[in-house]
Amino acid sequence: RPGQNHHPAGPSTPPSSPPTQSLSIQRQLYERDFPLYKQPVEVGHFSLDSERRFFNDARQLRYYVEPEKSCPNFDLRDGYRGRFVKRDDRVKEKLDHILRWILANRSKLQSKDTAASSSPCALGVDIVTWRGHLTKLLTTPYETREGWLLAVTRMGGTLYISEVETEAARRDRENRTERHEEMMYWGYKFEQYTCADDAQSLPDPGGVVNTNEAFCTVVQTRLAEHRLLFSGEVDCRDKDPKAPSPPANYIEMKTSLEISTPKQRSNFHRFKLLKWWAQSFLPGVPRIVAGFRDHDGVVVSVETYHISKISQLIKNETNCWKPTVCMNFCCEFLSFVKSVVTEDDPRVVHLFSWDPHRDVTYSIHRDSQYSFLPDWYVREMTS
Ligand code: 0WD
Ligand code: CA
């Protein structure tokens, strides 16, 4: 075995040896016991309004209203031309909203185990990132199409992980077809048909869909030895006041093409359920409500998926994904990052790069275009 490759199951290396240069993504390396993943705890939340302004509260949280009929006939194309305000996805917000939340809630974070720790770490967490970035890590062992770039900076002992758009993703974004643009709207429109602004009211399908608006949960958890703090967008909550406390009352909304053949069912299990599972499992969101639509964007059925039952649902599929591989790979990647990114400096970025069928590699950048921790955050955290 080449000594340059980071081997997850290999013998432990002495602490003084230099970090390895790459991380293998071969699935069989990660087929072992499911790692410890602590029940995620919501430590806070925030909202982004119709102009993408940050609020340290739950004003954008919506309430799920179960459709009247199992075949609701929601027309997802309605309003695309006249009642749609689309977020400008050329603007890269990086971790800014999470950092704003951290500054506003620092007191809630400095935890007890930090005080006892021999190497005090300012925030009491090892990793700060978006949930969506972790989802990409979880699905990497099974991804054959899209690579990723993740920028990592260590400051005050905490590793901040922020995605960088790949060249391929930028090309895809700039060359979307009109049909694709419209289909991206359908998911948001489905949310509008099923979500109300408060527990007493009904959804308003006649209103404007504005994708600047968001409610995000901030959760803390631990994956093996990695203490994680991440945020993810939450579509809505259970409106029953007796529902369990967050994140157990949250619901993820999805749309998908209706399933009409065994091949489609198998593909749904093997590819789509992997992404759905990874995204909701991470923050402890227990349920997904899926609207199955036809080619014209009409929802023909609605189904609920319980995250805890998805692994059972896929068990009969040949060549299927395994939750343990996803979690072990993510855990190993975070260990790899910790071993590589030792310099504690907000101006230094280690750019981790992965392309399908390749190992994970990295490059180092000082005072470059990749630096992503804003001055207002660095100043506040180091003063
Ligand atoms: O600037 C960036 N590179 C990114 C910013 C990348 C990823 C996310 N974000 C931020 C935004 O501030 C957004 O409010 O992500 C927030 C959502 O983060 P997340 O929950 O970690 O992302 P993810 O799990 O990938 O997506 C959750 C939902 C999506 O729902 P579906 O059902 O399609 O998975 O957030 C929406 C989308 O509705 N979404 C985004 N919203 C704004 N900017 C983005 C995005 N880049 N990606 C997904
Ligand atoms: Ca959704």
Side-chain angles (χ1 to χ4, degrees), residues 50-89:
S50 59
E51 292 168 55
R52 209 72 183 160
R53 287 176 301 207
F54 174 96
F55 293 89
N56 188 30
D57 59 37
R59 67 183 66 195
Q60 295 291 349
L61 176 57
R62 292 174 299 174
Y63 294 76
Y64 178 62
V65 179
E66 200 176 327
E68 291 280 338
K69 295 164 286 196
S70 67
C71 177
N73 275 313
F74 296 142
D75 177 8
L76 302 180
R77 300 171 86 158
D78 177 57
Y80 178 64
R81 303 247 161 241
R83 301 192 321 280
F84 177 30
V85 177
K86 185 178 172 283
R87 188 185 68 91
D88 183 350
D89 54 14

Side-chain angles (χ1 to χ4, degrees), residues 62-65 67 74-80 82-85 185-197 201-211 213 235-236 253-255:
R62 292 174 299 174
Y63 294 76
Y64 178 62
V65 179
F74 296 142
D75 177 8
L76 302 180
R77 300 171 86 158
D78 177 57
Y80 178 64
R83 301 192 321 280
F84 177 30
V85 177
Y185 166 79
W186 293 358
Y188 296 102
K189 185 66 190 177
F190 180 57
E191 293 172 17
Q192 192 194 46
Y193 276 114
T194 51
C195 299
D197 287 342
S201 51
L202 290 172
D204 174 20
V208 170
V209 170
N210 186 324
T211 59
E213 297 174 3
D235 294 327
C236 57
M253 308 300 294
K254 292 286 183 200
T255 59

Side-chain angles (χ1 to χ4, degrees), residues 5 22-27 139-148 271 329 353-361:
N5 201 300
S22 66
L23 175 68
S24 170
I25 61 134
Q26 283 180 69
R27 288 169 209 166
T139 58
T140 295
Y142 299 103
E143 181 61 49
T144 56
R145 289 196 283 223
E146 290 168 13
W148 46 251
F271 305 109
F329 171 75
S353 160
W354 178 72
D355 283 309
H357 314 297
R358 302 248 183 272
D359 288 350
V360 178
T361 58

